[in-house]
Amino acid sequence: MSGYNRRTFLAGALATGIAGAVARTAQAGADAGAPPVPPFHGPHQAGILNPARRRTVVAAFDIVADGKAELTELFRTLTDRARSLTTGGVPPEPGITAPPADSGILGPNVPAGALTVTLGLGASLFDDRYGLASRKPAGLVQMPVFPNDDLDPAWCHGDLSLQLEADDDDTVLHAFRDLARHTRGAMQVRWRMNGFVSPPRPSGTPRNFMGFKDGISNPDTNDAAEMDRLVWVRDERPETAWTTGGSYVAFRLIRMLVEFWDRVGISEQEQMFGRTRDTGAPLDGAHEQDVPRYELDPAGKAIPITSHIRLANPRKPETDDSRILRRSFNYDRGVDDVGNLDVGLLFTSYQQDLHRQFEAVQMRLVDEPLVDYISPFGGGYFFVVPGVPDTSEFYLQSILI
Amino acid sequence: MLALFVAIYQELIVDIRRPGAVIAASLFLAAGCSTAGADEHASPSTSAPANAQASANPTVQIGASHCGEGWTNPQAGPQIIMVTNTGDVSSGVDLVDVPGGAVHAELEGLAPGVTRPLRVSLTQGTYAIRCDVDERDLIVGPSVTVVGNAPGGPATVPISDNDLFAPAQAYTEYVTGGLKTLRAKTEALTKAVDRGDLTAARRAWLPAHLAYESLGSAYGTFGDFDGEINGRPAGLPGGVHDKNFTGLHRVEYGLWHDESAKTLRPIADRLYQDVKALCDDFPDERLDPADLPLRAHEILENTLQFELSGRSDQGSGTTLATAAANLQGTRETLAVLRPLLQGRYPGLKQVDAHLDRVETLLAAQKHGDTWTPVDQLDHRVRKTINGAVGELLEELAPVAEILFPRRTQ
């Protein structure tokens, strides 16, 4: 059994070199006006600092590889497939001895479609199965249960995470299908959620399903020093130095009780967020990007002390290093069993330190008024590994070989 | 504490809303006009898009010194009035009619220097801007005569905190009575567990749970007791086995998962202690009058989320019984608010009809002492219950808006 599985995902590894020959730039920036995605190779993975694309699939996997050698092959395969898929090109011709190498859903010449693949590792991978315990990233733990959570174990955690982003549904699904096909014997899907970014309505930051602009206040991804302070991991201890250039991601699957929300008056809604719904401006401002002036409003007369934006980011010197880089998507997965829409937020945040940043923000938000209208039910913490520097290397090479 | 609270209430009640004040009886009929008006907004007479038109909108000052200044040449129809707080403290603003005082539009908490749009549809008549300046008496700006031929939007005669004191007091009495029942029923449950008669305990569990679930609007007042007495395992790292999972649902879990009397005794005893502590504590707590209008729909929002979905079930399969108890709590909430709603909410009759409908639908699932578990409902029956509760919720939601306490003097 194990031998068969291994052969399956090795076959994928062999198939990659061909497609990899096509020039990367040929099909980048398929979405006119959107900036091209960063290249696959580099010190950091793509899909973190660049603006979120329109579509995503986030999935967590349980790794079932039989021993460290198979685990190594898995990461080799993942690297090769990610490199190939983000580059595009004509899939290899299998001849008469095998079914087609590619699903064909993107046509005979696979476009890169501004695809990014971002790979993360869960704390559970660093147990005793593969001898990696001593290599566990210093800040990696399993996502805890927060007081307002209602977690479903089937939608939590995982050994490995993949976030695929592109501009079209078929592009991300094609990539997901390809990656799953080539890695079946070594990892199995634990949970998967599709997400999308709404277009600006009418401008500026996209809106969530509560009708509010979401993600207005984010660290400046063009400021390298700020990214070094808030996003990228730097570690000089020999066992974990390999994590330098990586980051930590918190995925949170947050159901929004939109029917209930729609039955709440606009003034109460705005007080809960601290922003106006129409413009996204803070309640003491006129424009989306206006910076709230809490120091002029110590009692919270304009922006309530308990409002989401004020709790999440109090904008004080002592809370500055708890800021997170949000990269959230909306999700829509049908209806629940009382006939309400099952929609919400595929919250995604990147940070240098989960405890110092995401958890600090999350704990400030405990019991905020908004909690009655949302229900976090899944997600997980993952260490997003450093980028693959060039074609000669693969993910995790330094700790697997 | 309650006595003190009543004394304050009597002192403040002197100058509440005049009983004979003009009532905006056509509240929701008028809402239809408002929609039509929104289309008119784009008609040739006011053809520019809303953004480009911003300069044409009057800018009206609010604040202690110049409240309402700047509202010139007002015309009937849908319009945007840009409101600027020119004072040095934050201020709310209402657009009211004169002399009735019905509120047509409002904004809360404008910081000094902030300008925000006040969207409103006005028919011809006399209106004024009223400024609710932080820590000042209400200031009414100059009366303004609106001319032209266009329908107006909805308005409501505001109620104040004072108006909600009597309903809150009545609801407190209801809860006080309900807590006595809860205590007695919980005692019966605990005694059955104590003597090791788990069959009797399973029979005694539901009456105790329903006694709690029918208290409705008071949960916010119970503080930590609510989680201790009726919490779900959600949010607890250990789930149903977490030591902080306590109360009625914990006892339910044990009774319907073959736990022994020995295991359940300390849990049931703790429940009874918590219920006793709540009963002792409640007279010292103040039920926030402003909670009541919100609870008109919030109780059943939770019913839909946790009971009709079956998510709160820990084995007894009685979430439809819980739903019926929640409906009772909602009815009681509406009963105490009814004097304020009559004349303000034309949808009240429909609410009453749909409360009856939901009650009938739920009662049909009661068979002696047992209830149909929600996941065993006939498909169409389940959809009908979901639909009826959903519709009722849509009709209850305006109560929170109409009875939002506003300053009236």
Side-chain angles (χ1 to χ4, degrees):
Chain A
M1 197 63 189
S2 152
Y4 171 79
N5 288 341
R6 179 180 159 83
R7 189 172 59 81
T8 307
F9 73 81
L10 274 178
L14 293 172
T16 53
I18 304 162
V22 178
R24 172 171 304 108
T25 50
Q27 287 149 328
D31 178 26
V37 296
F40 176 75
H41 294 123
H44 311 298
Q45 291 192 69
I48 301 174
L49 299 193
N50 55 305
R53 309 304 292 199
R54 293 194 304 250
R55 295 289 186 274
T56 195
V57 175
V58 172
F61 298 80
D62 293 319
I63 292 187
V64 297
D66 186 12
K68 194 164 178 183
E70 276 201 17
L71 185 75
T72 305
E73 280 312 305
L74 169 66
F75 284 102
R76 235 188 252 281
T77 304
L78 284 168
T79 309
D80 287 340
R81 292 316 302 152
R83 185 185 282 132
S84 174
L85 289 162
T86 55
T87 306
V90 179
E93 181 52 60
I96 60 168
T97 60
D102 186 79
S103 63
I105 63 173
L106 298 182
N109 187 354
V110 175
L115 176 73
T116 56
V117 176
T118 312
L119 180 141
L121 306 175
S124 53
L125 181 65
F126 297 89
D127 59 13
D128 54 8
R129 281 174 293 168
Y130 303 108
L132 293 175
S134 66
R135 303 295 205 145
K136 185 160 108 169
L140 186 60
V141 294
Q142 180 174 287
M143 181 181 76
V145 180
F146 292 99
N148 305 119
D149 286 359
D150 196 354
L151 299 180
D152 177 349
W155 285 90
C156 294
H157 318 308
D159 292 327
L160 184 145
S161 69
L162 283 175
Q163 176 157 31
L164 313 178
E165 282 182 36
D167 290 329
D168 297 301
D169 288 312
D170 60 353
T171 309
V172 287
L173 186 66
H174 171 266
F176 185 86
R177 193 163 153 185
D178 183 279
L179 287 161
R181 180 183 190 183
H182 286 90
T183 57
R184 283 196 213 293
M187 65 182 203
Q188 284 291 300
V189 182
R190 183 180 174 90
W191 54 265
R192 169 171 85 95
M193 185 66 93
N194 287 10
F196 63 92
V197 177
S198 301
R201 305 287 189 190
S203 60
T205 306
R207 292 174 190 272
N208 63 27
F209 281 136
M210 290 177 150
F212 282 75
K213 295 186 174 186
D214 199 315
I216 292 172
S217 167
N218 239 354
D220 180 3
T221 54
N222 294 313
D223 180 339
E226 185 152 292
M227 295 301 99
D228 283 342
R229 211 165 55 239
L230 296 177
V231 175
W232 304 125
V233 169
R234 184 177 179 80
D235 191 335
E236 281 157 12
R237 283 161 292 188
E239 289 288 287
T240 45
W242 70 273
T243 60
T244 297
S247 185
Y248 292 92
V249 65
F251 293 120
R252 300 272 293 167
L253 308 178
I254 304 172
R255 168 88 184 267
M256 289 174 168
L257 307 170
V258 294
E259 287 81 3
F260 187 4
W261 184 251
D262 288 345
R263 291 188 280 260
V264 174
I266 186 64
S267 181
E268 197 185 346
Q269 288 188 7
E270 292 182 336
Q271 304 253 318
M272 278 192 253
F273 270 106
R275 293 186 181 276
T276 56
R277 192 174 75 162
D278 282 1
T279 63
L283 290 175
D284 67 351
H287 305 288
E288 176 180 329
Q289 294 298 339
D290 287 351
V291 174
R293 292 158 299 172
Y294 300 134
E295 70 283 4
L296 302 179
D297 181 27
K301 302 277 186 188
I303 303 181
I305 303 290
T306 58
S307 65
H308 183 77
I309 62 165
R310 195 160 181 167
L311 289 172
N313 184 2
R315 297 176 189 262
K316 293 178 180 162
E318 63 270 27
T319 60
D320 188 70
D321 73 349
S322 66
R323 286 187 298 145
I324 55 179
L325 177 64
R326 281 173 299 161
R327 233 169 160 282
S328 294
F329 294 79
N330 298 321
Y331 81 80
D332 173 6
R333 55 167 193 169
V335 291
D336 69 8
D337 50 14
V338 294
N340 283 339
L341 291 175
D342 187 350
V343 299
L345 195 69
L346 204 180
F347 173 92
T348 307
S349 80
Y350 285 88
Q351 49 269 306
Q352 184 178 63
D353 184 323
L354 287 160
H355 185 68
R356 188 192 82 211
Q357 294 168 273
F358 174 73
E359 291 185 357
V361 173
Q362 191 65 24
M363 292 314 289
R364 288 199 293 265
L365 291 171
V366 167
D367 291 343
E368 63 165 328
L370 203 56
V371 298
D372 287 348
Y373 309 92
I374 60 178
S375 181
F377 67 92
Y381 287 170
F382 298 90
F383 175 70
V384 174
V385 304
V388 176
D390 54 50
T391 52
S392 70
E393 295 214 28
F394 63 95
Y395 294 125
L396 293 188
Q397 183 162 334
S398 63
I399 63 165
L400 289 173
I401 293 182
Chain B
M1 180 117 177
L2 189 66
L4 176 67
F5 153 70
V6 171
I8 293 167
Y9 153 69
Q10 280 166 345
E11 202 170 53
L12 292 176
I13 204 167
V14 183
D15 192 7
I16 59 164
R17 174 183 60 85
R18 287 157 296 154
V22 178
I23 303 292
S26 61
L27 196 63
F28 281 82
L29 293 175
C33 302
S34 165
T35 308
D39 292 332
E40 265 170 42
H41 194 57
S43 71
S45 62
T46 54
S47 61
N51 283 347
Q53 207 187 16
S55 58
N57 295 325
T59 298
V60 174
Q61 296 188 59
I62 62 165
S65 309
H66 304 280
C67 180
E69 288 181 20
W71 192 11
T72 51
N73 191 27
Q75 301 292 312
Q79 53 202 288
I80 297 171
I81 298 169
M82 301 306 290
V83 181
T84 297
N85 184 354
T86 51
D88 53 11
V89 292
S90 82
S91 176
V93 58
D94 293 322
L95 194 160
V96 297
D97 60 34
V98 180
V103 176
H104 290 254
E106 68 184 344
L107 290 171
E108 286 181 74
L110 268 77
V114 166
T115 301
R116 291 183 61 189
L118 191 65
R119 294 187 171 82
V120 67
S121 287
L122 298 173
T123 191
Q124 59 182 336
T126 307
Y127 300 90
I129 291 289
R130 200 170 61 184
C131 302
D132 181 1
V133 182
D134 201 21
E135 290 171 9
R136 300 273 305 243
D137 289 337
L138 284 178
I139 303 158
V140 181
S143 288
V144 168
T145 303
V146 168
V147 296
N149 189 15
T156 190
V157 174
I159 64 135
S160 69
D161 281 321
N162 282 355
D163 295 312
L164 289 168
F165 283 169
Q169 197 179 12
Y171 203 86
T172 301
E173 281 164 23
Y174 166 75
V175 173
T176 303
L179 284 174
K180 277 192 195 129
T181 308
L182 172 67
R183 184 168 171 165
K185 303 287 185 192
T186 307
E187 189 175 15
L189 168 64
T190 305
K191 280 186 170 162
V193 173
D194 278 347
R195 65 174 186 268
D197 186 349
L198 296 188
T199 306
R202 277 188 284 271
R203 269 201 306 274
W205 180 83
L206 185 60
H209 188 231
L210 297 186
Y212 189 84
E213 290 282 356
S214 60
L215 299 178
S217 293
Y219 305 128
T221 314
F222 294 167
D224 290 343
F225 286 118
D226 184 44
E228 284 159 11
I229 292 171
N230 201 41
R232 299 170 56 239
L236 300 175
V240 292
H241 303 299
D242 197 292
K243 67 174 172 36
N244 290 320
F245 179 36
T246 61
L248 285 157
H249 285 302
R250 175 63 188 86
V251 173
E252 179 191 11
Y253 178 84
L255 287 174
W256 275 271
H257 287 81
D258 295 326
E259 284 186 345
S260 68
K262 186 165 172 281
T263 305
L264 281 171
R265 240 171 239 134
I267 296 165
D269 287 346
R270 157 98 193 261
L271 166 65
Y272 184 54
Q273 295 307 319
D274 286 339
V275 166
K276 268 203 310 196
L278 170 62
C279 293
D280 292 343
D281 175 75
F282 185 68
D284 295 332
E285 297 297 331
R286 175 177 177 270
L287 192 150
D288 185 351
D291 281 353
L292 280 173
L294 296 168
R295 300 295 184 258
H297 77 111
E298 285 180 349
I299 299 168
L300 288 178
E301 298 283 2
N302 278 1
T303 308
L304 187 63
Q305 188 183 352
F306 298 114
E307 311 304 337
L308 298 185
S309 66
R311 280 171 70 195
S312 70
D313 182 41
Q314 291 299 333
S316 71
T318 56
T319 61
L320 291 177
T322 308
N326 297 161
L327 193 73
Q328 173 58 29
T330 303
R331 276 191 187 282
E332 196 60 34
T333 304
L334 286 170
V336 301
L337 295 174
R338 189 167 293 270
L340 298 173
L341 285 171
Q342 269 164 349
R344 284 192 175 82
Y345 186 28
L348 195 54
K349 262 201 168 116
Q350 191 79 327
V351 166
D352 289 335
H354 287 145
L355 283 165
D356 291 345
R357 180 173 186 229
V358 172
E359 185 168 305
T360 304
L361 286 167
L362 292 173
Q365 303 310 321
K366 182 173 192 264
H367 320 285
D369 287 344
T370 64
W371 291 72
T372 312
V374 73
D375 58 0
Q376 289 171 30
L377 283 172
D378 170 79
H379 177 79
R380 187 165 296 278
V381 170
R382 186 166 185 185
K383 298 283 183 210
T384 305
I385 292 172
N386 290 342
V389 171
E391 182 177 35
L392 178 57
L393 279 168
E394 298 291 345
E395 292 159 357
L396 287 171
V399 172
E401 303 308 300
I402 295 164
L403 298 189
F404 177 76
R406 295 163 168 98
R407 288 182 69 186
T408 55
Q409 54 173 302

